[in-house]
Amino acid sequence: RRMTKWSRDQGKAGPISLGYRLGHIQGDSRIFRAIVYNKSAVVLHMLRRRIGDEAFFRGIRRLYFGSRFSRADTSDVRAAFEKEGGENLERFFDAWIYGSGTPAVAFSWAPAADLEERAVALRVEQRGKDSEFPVTVTLEYAGGATEDTQIIVRERTAEFRLPIKGNLKGIVLNRDGL
């Protein structure tokens, strides 16, 4: 949580791809640490959540064995995860490796329109920076129980239908701070 907060606070200083230069130019090693170490760790965790554990760890192995004893750059990292995840990750890398800051979002929810199954309709709206990211949705039930589920926001306005198991008291987005 501390790493996430620090990278979020310093993340506006610039993208991960320029982390070393930004810290050096500004003469502030905290910027380098916040962007290169902390934000990179958070972005890798988001990538893991985005493509799933199996594809993520296969991607790590592909990158390691394919780049042993040589240099790997960002395009090699992206290619390894795209190959193992089976998806184009250009938007994700553009936003989180080459971009700076974090997206601001607003959300609303209501019971789903059809009553065939118990569900809630969740609408997530990006404000400002357009990005692609996984986020944890916490469903809070009237009895005090909570349930976490993950969604991936890909559009400026995204709508999701989430099954529920009881009377819903509320929804919290990004309770885990990631």
Side-chain angles (χ1 to χ4, degrees):
R1 286 188 181 125
R2 200 167 58 210
M3 267 193 339
T4 302
K5 182 186 178 327
W6 200 20
S7 65
R8 190 172 26 249
D9 293 346
Q10 297 293 328
K12 293 179 181 132
I16 290 172
S17 60
L18 298 177
Y20 173 76
R21 290 180 216 134
L22 293 170
H24 183 70
I25 289 169
Q26 295 182 26
D28 189 349
S29 63
R30 291 174 303 168
I31 292 173
F32 172 78
R33 281 193 317 263
I35 293 173
V36 174
Y37 291 113
N38 297 351
K39 185 177 178 183
S40 294
V42 172
V43 169
L44 280 173
H45 184 64
M46 283 194 319
L47 179 61
R48 178 181 173 189
R49 292 171 64 195
R50 167 77 174 70
I51 66 174
D53 285 349
E54 289 181 23
F56 180 82
F57 288 110
R58 284 194 318 264
I60 292 286
R61 284 189 292 277
R62 175 179 289 278
L63 181 64
Y64 174 75
F65 289 113
S67 302
R68 244 184 334 189
F69 310 114
S70 64
R71 282 190 170 190
D73 63 16
T74 305
S75 64
D76 297 318
V77 173
R78 181 178 149 199
F81 288 117
E82 283 181 341
K83 180 77 174 171
E84 295 304 329
E87 297 181 60
N88 183 325
L89 296 170
E90 181 177 7
R91 279 192 70 217
F92 183 88
F93 273 71
D94 283 349
W96 298 105
I97 303 296
Y98 300 112
S100 59
T102 55
V105 298
F107 72 98
S108 60
W109 61 276
D114 67 38
L115 299 175
E116 289 181 25
E117 71 171 303
R118 293 183 62 117
V120 64
L122 173 68
R123 178 184 172 99
V124 179
E125 231 178 282
Q126 295 190 54
R127 306 236 168 115
K129 178 184 176 179
D130 188 16
S131 189
E132 177 178 308
F133 54 92
V135 66
T136 302
V137 176
T138 303
L139 304 172
E140 297 178 328
Y141 293 101
T146 62
E147 178 184 6
D148 287 342
T149 188
Q150 180 181 286
I151 59 172
I152 299 173
V153 178
R154 291 186 170 98
E155 300 88 26
R156 188 162 256 331
T157 301
E159 296 188 10
F160 303 90
R161 182 184 172 89
L162 306 173
I164 58 174
K165 298 176 181 166
N167 294 329
L168 206 55
K169 179 175 82 175
I171 292 181
V172 177
L173 213 61
N174 197 32
R175 180 179 69 163
D176 56 8
L178 297 172

